[in-house]
Amino acid sequence: MALQEAILVALTHGTASGYDLAKTFDVSVANYWSATAQQLYRELDRMAASGLVSAEMVEQERRPNKRIYSLTPAGRAALRESTTRTPKPTAIRDELLVQVEAIDHGDTDSVRAFIHERLASSRAKLARYERRREGMLDGGSEAHFLQTARRIGPYLTLARGIAFERENISWFEMVLAATAEKSIDADQT
Amino acid sequence: MALQEAILVALTHGTASGYDLAKTFDVSVANYWSATAQQLYRELDRMAASGLVSAEMVEQERRPNKRIYSLTPAGRAALRESTTRTPKPTAIRDELLVQVEAIDHGDTDSVRAFIHERLASSRAKLARYERRREGMLDGGSEAHFLQTARRIGPYLTLARGIAFERENISWFEMVLAATAEKSIDADQT
DNA sequence: AGCCGCATGTAACTTGTTACATGATTTC
DNA sequence: GAAATCATGTAACAAGTTACATGCGGCT
């Protein structure tokens, strides 16, 4: 169900095609939910059938035709109603964590290599998020933004994403330090 | 696939029944992977069929019979091999985060109530994790533990869990503060 | 010549969730 | 007497993943 809600919120920012949403879900929405393009196309179909979104075909000249979706009043109502339903508890689910748990029975060097990869990708994500944050704050303070902005939801979830990536980075560094002696290759952080 | 590996690591700590694993997956393993009892029973069946674990029927007098699973050499090999396969990238997936993103279009008071609930459960989890950490360290320092323990994987994943819950707590507090004026009820943290 | 971006989709498959069933024993 | 714990399972379903297909335009 949460995929539906994530799509509904995304559409509050304006109309979008399935393709647009797929890109959005890769950057900003990935902060709190993720989905593949195929899931989105399937879900948008269903939602159009149940009247939560309306689809308008837009023919383009030098590009394939688009199906532009927008929120209907029913969609807005569903979104509002969805915030009153108890959200499922969440936990971390990460294959890399499973590997780290198994590190004493596995191949330390390859796990360390995967951590190096994640470290790079977390740093890149963090940089992107922080640029977005700066853009939102627009020179002002966080307190000022939170008091005056007409929408604070996207800022709050972005803050969660930033904290998450910071934590990832420092945990990765800790794991690399803790496994350094057990590794053959020198530690190039 | 990761469920399989999570089961394999869990069994490195000793033999267990499906029921035992279900409890384990609710407490410690939930740090990095989660699964329902049904998933475990299904997966254990498959793993027994493919020879990664062996099942031994244990008849009990005042209790239902157990099926006790243990790792086979093939299981150990599969676990080791699994640490060389690239883990999938992960992201946060949380219905509550979707609600917060939608908070400006939803029911602020009920979202705030859900945050209060999560806050309580994160605090409880954190306390449990920290007790487990103290137990592992056994009075010594972290550095000492990491240098001398024969297994550091479980400590490292526990550290990730602790950091995650700490982050949750401070983010929840931030969201409550940021939405306080918009709420009807006073803020009882 | 070949790859990337645009834009949508079908189909098959694997995972994860929910509901239900059984039946004895121990604890409140 | 009711609820929780022990212990396993079936069945149906929902959600998520992977592979593949199409076809044009622009870039290198």
Side-chain angles (χ1 to χ4, degrees):
Chain A
M1 273 285 95
L3 175 57
Q4 204 176 83
E5 277 98 56
I7 292 174
L8 291 172
V9 207
L11 289 178
T12 61
H13 296 284
T15 61
S17 65
Y19 190 82
D20 293 336
L21 287 176
K23 278 184 300 178
T24 304
F25 269 66
D26 256 13
V27 288
S28 66
V29 180
N31 254 340
Y32 51 88
W33 205 261
S34 71
T36 60
Q38 286 62 33
Q39 270 182 283
L40 292 170
Y41 284 122
R42 186 168 50 179
E43 193 62 31
L44 283 166
D45 257 5
R46 286 182 200 156
M47 291 168 71
S50 61
L52 301 178
V53 297
S54 62
E56 194 199 352
M57 196 65 172
V58 174
E59 311 211 355
Q60 296 182 116
E61 276 185 16
R62 340 191 127 257
R63 297 252 159 256
N65 295 341
K66 283 184 179 192
R67 205 176 284 271
I68 296 285
Y69 292 93
S70 45
L71 273 186
T72 62
R76 275 174 199 285
L79 178 59
R80 167 163 277 273
E81 192 271 337
S82 78
T83 60
T84 65
R85 286 199 302 267
T86 308
K88 288 197 199 117
T90 330
I92 298 184
R93 272 180 149 246
D94 191 342
E95 298 190 353
L96 181 61
L97 277 270
V98 180
Q99 293 188 340
V100 171
E101 173 88 14
I103 201 162
D104 310 286
H105 300 277
D107 181 347
T108 305
D109 284 326
S110 55
V111 175
R112 282 171 55 85
F114 297 140
I115 290 174
H116 274 116
E117 284 170 28
R118 284 277 185 102
L119 190 52
S121 105
S122 280
R123 282 184 178 141
K125 264 193 202 173
L126 180 60
R128 265 197 292 121
Y129 291 168
E130 278 183 331
R131 255 179 281 123
R132 231 152 68 77
R133 181 166 174 271
E134 295 307 320
M136 280 184 175
L137 290 181
D138 196 27
S141 71
E142 177 176 289
H144 178 257
F145 177 86
L146 290 173
Q147 275 159 22
T148 60
R150 36 180 236 310
R151 278 196 77 166
I152 60 171
Y155 181 87
L156 294 171
T157 53
L158 181 62
R160 187 68 192 85
I162 287 174
F164 183 67
E165 294 305 342
R166 285 213 183 111
E167 263 317 322
N168 275 337
I169 290 168
S170 72
W171 184 74
F172 293 147
E173 285 167 349
M174 175 200 179
V175 175
L176 288 175
T179 56
E181 332 68 80
K182 277 151 191 162
S183 147
I184 299 158
D185 50 296
D187 199 354
Q188 80 288 9
T189 309
Chain B
M1 275 287 94
L3 174 57
Q4 203 174 84
E5 276 100 54
I7 292 174
L8 291 172
V9 207
L11 289 177
T12 61
H13 295 284
T15 60
S17 66
Y19 190 81
D20 292 336
L21 288 175
K23 279 183 300 178
T24 304
F25 269 67
D26 255 13
V27 289
S28 67
V29 180
N31 254 339
Y32 51 88
W33 205 260
S34 70
T36 60
Q38 286 63 31
Q39 268 182 282
L40 293 170
Y41 284 123
R42 184 168 53 180
E43 193 63 31
L44 283 166
D45 258 5
R46 284 182 201 155
M47 290 167 72
S50 62
L52 301 179
V53 297
S54 61
E56 194 199 352
M57 195 66 170
V58 174
E59 311 213 354
Q60 296 183 118
E61 278 183 16
R62 336 189 132 257
R63 296 253 159 256
N65 295 341
K66 283 185 181 193
R67 204 176 282 274
I68 296 285
Y69 293 94
S70 46
L71 272 186
T72 62
R76 276 175 197 284
L79 178 57
R80 165 162 278 275
E81 191 269 337
S82 78
T83 60
T84 65
R85 285 200 302 266
T86 309
K88 286 195 201 121
T90 330
I92 299 184
R93 274 183 146 244
D94 191 341
E95 297 191 354
L96 181 61
L97 277 270
V98 179
Q99 293 187 340
V100 171
E101 173 86 13
I103 200 162
D104 310 286
H105 300 276
D107 180 347
T108 305
D109 284 325
S110 55
V111 175
R112 281 170 57 84
F114 297 141
I115 291 174
H116 274 116
E117 284 170 31
R118 284 277 185 100
L119 190 51
S121 105
S122 281
R123 282 183 178 142
K125 266 194 201 173
L126 180 59
R128 267 199 288 120
Y129 291 168
E130 276 182 334
R131 255 178 281 124
R132 233 154 67 77
R133 180 164 175 270
E134 295 308 320
M136 281 185 175
L137 290 181
D138 197 27
S141 71
E142 175 175 290
H144 180 256
F145 177 87
L146 289 173
Q147 274 158 22
T148 59
R150 38 180 234 310
R151 277 197 78 168
I152 60 170
Y155 181 86
L156 294 172
T157 53
L158 180 63
R160 188 67 192 87
I162 288 174
F164 182 66
E165 294 305 341
R166 284 214 183 112
E167 264 316 322
N168 275 337
I169 290 168
S170 72
W171 184 75
F172 293 148
E173 285 167 348
M174 175 200 179
V175 173
L176 287 175
T179 56
E181 333 68 78
K182 278 152 190 162
S183 146
I184 298 157
D185 51 295
D187 198 355
Q188 82 290 13
T189 308

